[in-house]
Amino acid sequence: MVMMQTAVLGTLRRDVINAVGIDRARSLFYRTGWSQGQRYAELVRKRFRQDDLTAALAAGPRLHTMEGFVKVSTKRFEFDIKRGHYHGEFHWHDSTEAVEHMRAFGVSDCPTCWMQVGAPAGFTTALLGQPVIFREVECMGQGAERCVVIGRNAAAWGNEVPELELFAPATVKPRNQPWNPATEPPQNREGTTPHAIIGKTAGIERARRLVERVAGYAEPVLFLGEPGTGKEFFARRLHELSSVANGPFVTVNCDAYAGDHADRPMFGEGGAMERAKGGTLFLNDVSSLPKPIQSQLAATLGAETKTSAAVRVVSACSGRLRDFVESGAFRADLYFRLSLLPIVIPPLRDRRDDVPMLIDHFLHRHSKAHGKPLRGISVDARDLLLRYDFPGNVRELSNMIERGVIYSEPGGDLEISHIFTGIEQMPEFVEVLHASGRIVRRSTAGGARTSFGSRTFDEMEEETYRAALLAADGNVSAAARALGLSRAKLDYRLAKLGIARRT
Ligand SMILES: [Zn+2]
């Protein structure tokens, strides 16, 4: 959970409204709330491993209160997961969004809790797999005593549901069809490719070329790569470039089928296979597919002739799928079917030269998604990122930048403390006293893959100061100069880290 002072959010909100006008600002905050709701849903989904959607949905209002922007009291709340039905009526007390709106603009003639109605919509939609829209009937920002909020299936709101376009313009389907909401707010407004692969190093260049080369075929593609390398992203790129680009892209997380309690079937009516007709079926983490489903899948794929191959099957595996075949956990015939066109995505530590480009990309993307203008990233923070090993790959880098965007001051720079939480395994440095008298930090392996210790950033920082003090013979001013810090700043840091010094 992110703690953000409500006054800070209020100022940001006011500035955004003044900068882009109330309509665009409303869309922006709606979408921010929506994307936050979707993220919560993801977290909750991981928590409730048993696919206990009921508990997850029921936790919604409580989670919303915990967030601290409103106090939710439930008036009516019913849902039926099988029928995909949802109806909720809530009172929201003390909405900070309404308070901040009134502080900046006075009493409003329309409801003002935009981010707050986006959040439960994103949350409920992601869990239910059906678009659910929340609207304010009354709002504190309009002078009401409390906000009155209703959440219903999009279809129940009638024909005019502009929110749907706002949340996912490309993915809105006719009613009563299962709906896979976009997990991110749409990024392609300016006509840029939504899943353009970023990077120029040899490994990623090769993967990109392969994707382009095989996209036109109907044969199965297998993406191999460590967790977080972006296998689903690549699969979506493949889909965009394919002849079924206008068809659906259906993701199946195969580990959800373990123990046979998937919330949705793979085959038959309404199953993933059927929903992916005319499009792409993406089997994520395919090695965890249980044996009975493997057999069915092998039979289905075997029965499909070239002409009736209505579904393009793309799968992903983070280990060596072959090893699962050898251990008997994965059917050999299915393996050979799925792995006709394998594409390996390299880990981020093997494509370090792409890191600067990715930093800039994520900085732009996250600051846009969160509606937070930023100047850039500090030299120190960039420097440290360039040396970090990224065990979680591109996803970890993206998370770090997003965290930085959220923690940093609007219009400022991302600093080390915004990005690193202190639990990361930090690269080891050697401090070198340069001929000029400056302390130069250099990574031990000169830019190549380094061996990493388990020091925290604080420990590293402390070591750097100690080395500088030693080199300056204990003279704090000289050490500060060598480090490029002001004397006052170094004093402060030394005191904070409890480093004794001679004066
Ligand atoms: Zn309100």
Side-chain angles (χ1 to χ4, degrees):
M1 191 176 307
V2 176
M3 307 301 271
M4 191 180 197
Q5 281 185 341
T6 54
V8 174
L9 186 67
T11 310
L12 172 69
R13 198 174 179 285
R14 185 198 62 205
D15 291 349
V16 172
I17 293 172
N18 286 334
V20 302
I22 198 154
D23 287 338
R24 284 193 58 199
R26 184 195 291 126
S27 308
L28 227 139
F29 282 102
Y30 253 43
R31 286 217 307 267
T32 307
W34 168 268
S35 118
Q36 193 179 14
Q38 295 231 311
R39 262 162 230 271
Y40 268 125
E42 246 169 63
L43 285 180
V44 162
R45 227 191 216 140
K46 280 184 201 140
R47 264 310 262 293
F48 295 91
R49 259 277 168 228
Q50 305 297 312
D51 292 306
D52 189 354
L53 272 175
T54 312
L57 273 169
R62 204 155 21 102
L63 272 173
H64 201 178
T65 298
M66 268 166 55
E67 234 191 341
F69 292 108
V70 291
K71 223 175 98 218
V72 180
S73 79
T74 303
K75 294 291 152 193
R76 177 182 168 190
F77 191 25
E78 60 189 43
F79 55 85
D80 180 338
I81 291 160
K82 278 219 176 66
R83 290 196 298 128
H85 165 78
Y86 185 96
H87 187 129
E89 293 175 17
F90 309 95
H91 284 181
W92 290 354
H93 302 276
D94 307 326
S95 162
T96 54
E97 215 175 346
V99 170
E100 290 300 330
H101 189 94
M102 283 198 291
R103 181 173 301 170
F105 300 101
V107 173
S108 166
D109 54 5
C110 59
T112 61
C113 303
W114 308 326
M115 214 160 81
Q116 298 322 305
V117 295
F123 180 83
T124 312
T125 298
L127 288 180
L128 208 62
Q130 296 268 346
V132 175
I133 299 300
F134 284 68
R135 285 182 184 168
E136 281 191 283
V137 181
E138 275 185 68
C139 179
M140 253 179 78
Q142 296 171 291
E145 196 185 316
R146 35 107 204 81
C147 306
V148 179
V149 180
I150 297 181
R152 307 169 73 178
N153 293 73
W157 285 111
N159 288 328
E160 293 281 304
V161 193
E163 293 96 330
L164 282 180
E165 305 242 342
L166 205 58
F167 293 147
T171 50
V172 176
K173 304 258 167 63
R175 272 179 240 157
N176 299 329
Q177 266 196 16
W179 193 66
N180 289 297
T183 48
E184 300 266 356
Q187 304 286 333
N188 53 345
R189 282 281 160 93
E190 291 89 16
T192 53
T193 318
H195 295 95
I197 293 160
I198 290 170
K200 289 209 178 313
T201 47
I204 209 75
E205 201 64 86
R206 184 181 140 75
R208 175 178 29 221
R209 270 206 311 276
L210 275 172
V211 166
E212 286 164 7
R213 198 169 307 154
V214 305
Y217 296 85
E219 272 71 22
V221 173
L222 172 65
F223 286 105
L224 296 162
E226 286 180 16
T229 45
K231 295 183 288 295
E232 176 162 1
F233 191 93
F234 272 74
R236 286 185 184 274
R237 178 66 182 153
L238 182 78
H239 176 74
E240 278 168 10
L241 294 171
S242 74
S243 57
V244 292
N246 290 324
F249 182 92
V250 176
T251 300
V252 171
N253 288 312
C254 294
D255 58 355
Y257 287 87
D260 288 325
H261 41 51
D263 54 338
R264 281 187 188 164
M266 174 92 92
F267 301 96
E269 214 188 316
M273 203 73 176
E274 194 193 58
R275 283 186 287 130
K277 250 202 172 91
T280 301
L281 177 69
F282 178 56
L283 302 170
N284 201 7
D285 204 358
V286 71
S287 62
S288 55
L289 210 56
K291 269 293 189 64
I293 300 184
Q294 287 180 31
S295 321
Q296 271 179 289
L297 187 62
T300 310
L301 292 178
E304 295 246 14
T305 63
K306 282 252 156 60
T307 45
S308 69
V311 175
R312 186 187 202 155
V313 179
V314 176
S315 38
C317 182
S318 48
R320 273 167 44 95
L321 192 51
R322 245 215 119 95
D323 293 348
F324 291 95
V325 177
E326 268 151 31
S327 72
F330 203 83
R331 284 176 66 110
D333 58 344
L334 185 59
Y335 167 75
F336 287 114
R337 248 176 231 297
L338 295 179
S339 66
L340 180 72
L341 305 169
I343 296 178
V344 176
I345 307 172
L348 190 51
R349 63 175 174 278
D350 289 348
R351 41 180 293 223
R352 278 184 193 283
D353 291 350
D354 289 336
V355 172
M357 212 187 277
L358 287 164
I359 291 175
D360 293 339
H361 169 75
F362 287 128
L363 200 58
H364 176 77
R365 191 173 119 186
H366 292 310
S367 86
K368 203 169 149 198
H370 290 284
K372 191 167 185 179
L374 285 164
R375 195 164 52 202
I377 181 165
S378 77
V379 175
D380 284 352
R382 189 181 284 267
D383 199 47
L384 201 55
L385 280 177
L386 291 180
R387 277 182 266 203
Y388 183 58
D389 206 22
F390 296 104
N393 290 301
V394 179
R395 185 190 298 144
E396 187 180 14
L397 174 59
S398 172
N399 287 348
M400 284 171 145
I401 302 290
E402 180 164 25
R403 178 161 60 230
V405 166
I406 291 168
Y407 281 174
S408 61
E409 292 294 327
D413 277 338
L414 261 65
E415 300 288 354
I416 289 173
S417 60
H418 298 144
I419 296 175
F420 287 88
T421 58
I423 55 166
E424 292 86 2
Q425 297 257 304
M426 302 309 298
E428 295 210 43
F429 294 113
V430 286
E431 282 81 28
V432 183
L433 189 59
H434 196 257
S436 69
R438 285 178 68 91
I439 305 282
V440 179
R441 288 189 296 181
R442 204 170 65 191
S443 111
T444 42
R449 179 160 184 201
T450 42
S451 66
F452 296 110
S454 54
R455 294 185 300 166
T456 65
F457 178 69
D458 277 355
E459 287 166 337
M460 253 171 40
E461 196 186 4
E462 186 179 332
E463 242 169 85
T464 306
Y465 296 150
R466 283 189 192 283
L469 280 170
L470 197 68
D473 210 16
N475 184 323
V476 179
S477 297
R481 269 197 304 279
L483 289 164
L485 296 173
S486 70
R487 159 87 201 232
K489 196 161 181 187
L490 183 58
D491 267 334
Y492 172 77
R493 299 301 302 161
L494 292 177
K496 194 158 181 212
L497 293 165
I499 303 174
R501 59 183 186 261
R502 288 177 286 145
T503 40

